[in-house]
Amino acid sequence: MTTSPAVHLAIPVDDLGAARRFYSDVLGLAEGRSTDHWVDWDLHGHQLVTHLVDGGPVPAGTSAVDGHAVPIPHFGLLLATDDFHRLADRLRAAGVDFVVEPYRRFPDEPAEQWTMFFHDPAGNALEFKAFRDSSKVFAR
């Protein structure tokens, strides 16, 4: 059986209950193994681990991209366009506050994409995006 490489990412949270509600109920991720100090999440085949840390994450700052101040650091996924819009609708229905509302970035350029930024309850920044043409993810 051939498998694709998957990313392992561990992030700090200050409340595992809030993290469980957000990653399970809002984002719809399946929970894997867990202890009183961490929870594994299936982020579309990638292993995301929320670790209980006093004080939670410490944001580094922002970077200007296409006229928006995007939070740094951040993480997320590249989705199909329909999945991107379904997730945006799900986030709106859950009352998630966007740092950058869903919008189309770089229109009519090779890397045209939909993107959105928001925070989890601990303050970790997430970006989800969808490229018009997924073969152009690294286009210059």
Side-chain angles (χ1 to χ4, degrees):
M1 174 193 245
T2 304
T3 59
S4 297
V7 169
H8 164 82
L9 176 64
I11 61 170
V13 299
D14 55 0
D15 181 333
L16 279 180
R20 275 195 164 96
R21 287 186 296 279
F22 181 79
Y23 286 96
S24 177
D25 299 345
V26 176
L27 290 184
L29 305 184
E31 184 175 330
R33 296 171 296 150
S34 66
T35 71
D36 292 343
H37 301 285
W38 54 267
V39 179
D40 277 348
W41 299 100
D42 180 353
L43 182 66
H44 296 261
H46 303 281
Q47 185 187 35
L48 173 64
V49 187
T50 49
H51 282 271
L52 188 59
V53 174
D54 288 338
V58 178
T62 61
S63 180
V65 179
D66 194 34
H68 294 274
V70 301
I72 304 297
H74 64 262
F75 71 96
L77 288 177
L78 306 179
L79 301 171
T81 302
D82 289 345
D83 293 336
F84 173 90
H85 290 293
R86 275 193 290 277
L87 177 60
D89 291 344
R90 182 180 185 135
L91 294 168
R92 285 185 187 106
V96 170
D97 291 323
F98 291 96
V99 175
V100 176
E101 291 277 340
Y103 82 104
R104 189 172 61 136
R105 177 192 283 171
F106 312 131
D108 303 319
E109 294 183 26
E112 179 180 319
Q113 60 195 261
W114 285 91
T115 187
M116 62 180 149
F117 288 85
F118 52 92
H119 289 104
D120 74 4
N124 292 295
L126 291 85
E127 176 187 20
F128 286 77
K129 58 171 78 177
F131 282 79
R132 178 178 45 123
D133 179 347
S134 62
S135 72
K136 304 292 185 190
V137 170
F138 299 106
R140 293 179 166 218

